[in-house]
Amino acid sequence: MTLRTGHIGLNVTDLDRSLAFYRDVLGFGVISEGKDEDRRYAFLGEDGRPVLTLWQQARGSYDSGGAGLHHLALEADSIERVRHYEEALRAYGAHFAHDLVVAHREGAASGGIFFHDPDGTRLEISVPAGAEGAPAPHEDAPTCGFF
């Protein structure tokens, strides 16, 4: 049996703010929303299949130095689509780790954009090919490991 990712759950500090980001900027559809005692949550995805769950139960911003999630990587179907997301994220005011599209490592065809959500969670939108010639911020080290 091979396992695959079912969905990713993220703790957020403000569900309304995070929904605006993931729904309105990144284009995730809202499958359902709910409330359990004093915690709100939302299931996001497409065609009824959850991809991301937001749980309003964090007390502070993402801690990049703590154990747990390093970053959430999302794959686009083309480099043009990555650039579309980059434009939408810049209009939103998202914080980017690198300017423009960067390669995953020096000479790689794969690459993308690296940015943070409203709580500081590190995110990547990339493609397996199409980023040929893009700069690599960390020479031979994987870009996605160091932002």
Side-chain angles (χ1 to χ4, degrees), residues 23-45:
R23 179 192 59 219
D24 302 342
V25 180
L26 296 184
F28 282 96
V30 178
I31 296 171
S32 67
E33 292 182 63
K35 184 174 182 173
D36 176 32
E37 297 176 21
D38 61 342
R39 296 182 302 186
R40 292 177 53 213
Y41 58 90
F43 285 86
L44 309 177

Side-chain angles (χ1 to χ4, degrees), residues 56-97:
Q56 183 176 296
Q57 57 188 14
R59 291 185 184 85
S61 296
Y62 174 75
D63 178 7
S64 64
L69 179 73
H70 181 274
H71 73 284
L72 175 58
L74 304 166
E75 188 173 300
D77 58 3
S78 69
I79 196 69
E80 292 77 23
R81 196 76 182 132
V82 172
R83 289 190 177 109
H84 166 81
Y85 284 114
E86 178 186 14
E87 187 177 302
L89 287 158
R90 288 197 189 281
Y92 172 81
H95 174 259
F96 283 79

Side-chain angles (χ1 to χ4, degrees), residues 7-58:
H7 70 273
I8 304 295
L10 295 177
N11 285 336
V12 300
T13 57
D14 181 331
L15 184 62
D16 294 326
R17 180 179 70 172
S18 292
L19 269 174
F21 179 79
Y22 286 97
R23 179 192 59 219
D24 302 342
V25 180
L26 296 184
F28 282 96
V30 178
I31 296 171
S32 67
E33 292 182 63
K35 184 174 182 173
D36 176 32
E37 297 176 21
D38 61 342
R39 296 182 302 186
R40 292 177 53 213
Y41 58 90
F43 285 86
L44 309 177
E46 60 183 358
D47 300 325
R49 183 176 180 269
V51 174
L52 186 63
T53 307
L54 304 176
W55 300 94
Q56 183 176 296
Q57 57 188 14

